[in-house]
């Protein structure tokens, strides 16, 4: 009898008397204690009527109990469905309606607002606060420390992760036990994770990065995590001395670099810093190396696929690239219109195939057919290029492509030039409606120092970019709108500047 993911990731905790989780106040939770919590929670879920294949939806703060809930759901043979803690009751209603979970766990403070929403979709509401307390903990306290894992085969589903849905509604990416385990196996080997590793974990756990990339990799390697409720420079600096590795989004690294206490000395002992979920500016990569001597390892993945590519562990980690396809993952770059493979060097759609690629979107067969080819290649929606050494760079999302007067403009190409200009900290280039050109290139700049000089920038760009790529309008904002994973929300910018040309 077997449960693929539980056997590989969670069962080994039962034999560990070392610290699996280290909390901000220094409290340690041994593997054995964490495993007992998982078993009690699994037993409580089953007592609540959760059957194999049922969904368990959660919108709770990051805590050891919340992480255990992922494991307990897998152990009980059910499907874990974590939701961004920022979603409003209306948004939660959409997910519960789409996924029809058996139970829904939320913050006790939101129970009154959310329980009727859950009930309308047939789900029973339980609560879990940031400290782990709530009606679920009360049920769990009465359950035994052991539970026989429910059988699950590699192809059975372990989780639904909803896409961030910056265009249209979020889709539930169905991830199987084998999808998650295969990626964890590859990452442990590729990034050299061992039982000696102590990962500084400051990412949210409702997203693939913190939940799967970070936690699954550490679990499979038998390592430990310093489990912070979120990112704060002070907390990261305080805990860095005990860590060996850290996974972050680019904003973690820019914030650390902004703090003079983040020195070469404090980072010296670290084995690995990785970055992903949003583009790491080459400038940040270089500044980080200059400050610490470490080259951040940038990798590329997504909700539907886990990790697809990575810069090498031992070889040259190239700034501005996301490295090579991971072992077992095939990547091809195709013409977005025809699907035909493009010559090396040309920008095109990134397609990926491998054991990591998801099983389709829950109850959206048409969306699944549009994005997942019959031969197994997933059309990622990201536009990328591959250089003559095989390194892949992301140029942007296809939906961010600007078509102006019939010409294609990839925002990244313009942003890279803008970012070099004096007075510009960073930039976002978008397409906005234009009466003559259909769309016009529009640049949003974030100032540094004395701020940008628009006339000087216009002149500088004339020498660097074809006329159709040069922005027809500029705006300056104190900062770019970003979501929790550090992604620039271009849809918001497009809306804000939609009226710029009439
Ligand atoms: P999510 O599904 O929320 O993980 O978002 C996945 C998307 O984030 C990808 O399709 C990319 O557009 C973007 N992304 C992830 N990693 C990187 C990276 N290293 N560089 C640029 N974009 C990235």
């Amino acid at each position: 009898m077997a449960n693929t993911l539980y056997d590989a990731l969670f069962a080994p905790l039962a034999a560990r008397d070392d610290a699996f989780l280290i909390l901000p106040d220094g409290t340690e939770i041994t593997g054995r204690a964490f495993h007992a919590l998982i078993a009690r929670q699994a037993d409580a879920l089953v007592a609540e009527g959760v059957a194999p294949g049922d969904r368990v939806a959660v919108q709770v703060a990051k805590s050891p109990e919340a992480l255990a809930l992922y494991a307990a759901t897998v152990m009980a043979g059910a499907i874990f469905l974590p939701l961004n803690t920022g979603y409003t009751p209306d948004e939660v209603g959409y997910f519960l309606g789409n996924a029809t979970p058996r139970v829904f766990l939320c913050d006790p403070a939101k129970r009154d607002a959310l329980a009727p929403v859950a009930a309308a979709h047939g789900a029973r509401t339980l609560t879990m606060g940031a400290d782990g307390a709530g009606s679920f903990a009360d049920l769990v306290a009465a359950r035994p420390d052991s539970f026989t894992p429910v059988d699950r085969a590699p192809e059975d589903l372990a989780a639904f992760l909803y896409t961030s849905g910056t265009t249209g509604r979020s889709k539930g990416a169905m991830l199987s036990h084998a999808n998650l385990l295969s990626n964890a196996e590859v990452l442990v080997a590729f990034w050299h994770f061992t039982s000696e590793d102590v990962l500084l974990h400051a990412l949210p756990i409702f997203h693939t990065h913190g939940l799967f990339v970070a936690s699954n990799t550490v679990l499979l390697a038998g390592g430990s995590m310093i489990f912070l409720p979120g990112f704060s420079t002070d907390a990261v600096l305080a805990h860095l001395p005990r860590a060996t590795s850290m996974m972050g989004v680019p904003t973690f690294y820019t914030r650390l670099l902004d703090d003079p206490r983040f020195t070469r000395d404090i980072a010296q002992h670290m084995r690995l810093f990785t970055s992903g979920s949003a583009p790491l500016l080459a400038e940040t990569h270089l500044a980080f190396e200059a400050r610490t001597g470490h080259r951040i390892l940038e990798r590329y993945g997504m909700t539907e696929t886990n990790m697809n590519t990575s810069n090498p562990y031992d070889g040259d980690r190239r700034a501005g690239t996301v490295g090579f396809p991971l072992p077992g993952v095939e990547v091809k770059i195709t013409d977005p219109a025809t699907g035909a493979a493009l010559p090396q060097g040309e920008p095109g759609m990134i397609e990926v195939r491998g054991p990591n690629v998801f099983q389709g979107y829950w109850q959206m067969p048409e969306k699944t057919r549009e994005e997942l080819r019959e031969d197994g290649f997933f059309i990622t929606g990201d536009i990328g290029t591959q250089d003559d050494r095989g390194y892949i760079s992301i140029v942007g999302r296809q939906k961010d492509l600007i078509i102006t007067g019939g010409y294609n403009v990839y925002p990244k190409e313009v942003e890279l030039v803008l970012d070099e200009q004096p007075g510009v900290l960073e930039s976002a280039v978008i397409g906005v409606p234009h009466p003559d050109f259909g769309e016009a290139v529009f640049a949003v700049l974030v100032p540094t120092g004395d701020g940008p000089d628009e006339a000087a920038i216009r002149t500088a760009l004339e020498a660097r970019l074809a006329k159709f790529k040069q922005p027809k309008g500029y705006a300056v904002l104190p900062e770019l709108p970003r979501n929790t994973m550090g992604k620039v929300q271009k849809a918001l910018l497009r809306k804000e500047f939609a009226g710029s040309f009439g």
Side-chain angles (χ1 to χ4, degrees), residues 366-412:
E366 273 161 39
K367 287 277 174 210
T368 303
R369 266 194 301 278
E370 277 168 27
E371 298 183 23
L372 198 53
R373 294 187 192 279
E374 273 181 12
D375 64 4
F377 272 99
F378 173 60
I379 304 167
T380 60
D382 289 315
I383 303 291
T385 59
Q386 192 162 25
D387 71 12
D388 51 2
R389 291 168 62 191
Y391 286 86
I392 293 169
S393 300
I394 313 278
V395 185
R397 294 287 293 166
Q398 188 189 26
K399 63 176 193 304
D400 294 330
L401 177 76
I402 303 163
I403 304 180
T404 176
Y407 293 107
N408 288 359
V409 178
Y410 293 107
K412 185 85 181 178

Side-chain angles (χ1 to χ4, degrees), residues 182-183 186 307-308 325-331 352-357:
S182 67
N183 214 238
V186 166
M307 296 303 98
N308 295 315
L326 284 162
V329 180
E330 292 171 80
V331 173
V352 297
R353 177 165 72 181
N356 53 318
V357 173

Side-chain angles (χ1 to χ4, degrees), residues 157-241:
L157 298 178
F160 286 179
L161 239 53
Y162 278 78
T163 58
S164 28
T166 40
T167 50
R169 300 231 83 166
S170 289
K171 295 162 283 189
M174 300 187 284
L175 294 154
S176 69
H177 283 236
N179 287 149
L180 299 178
L181 182 56
S182 67
N183 214 238
E185 285 169 347
V186 166
L187 296 181
V188 167
F190 204 76
W191 293 342
H192 296 205
F193 271 86
T194 71
S195 57
E196 300 295 303
D197 264 294
V198 181
L199 181 87
L200 190 48
H201 193 304
L203 293 160
I205 56 167
F206 52 69
H207 185 268
T208 186
H209 196 166
L211 186 63
F212 299 144
V213 188
S215 308
N216 286 357
T217 301
V218 168
L219 280 157
L220 188 67
S224 316
M225 301 195 270
I226 301 171
F227 210 60
L228 304 180
F231 180 91
S232 91
T233 307
D234 285 348
V236 167
L237 291 174
H239 291 283
L240 209 54

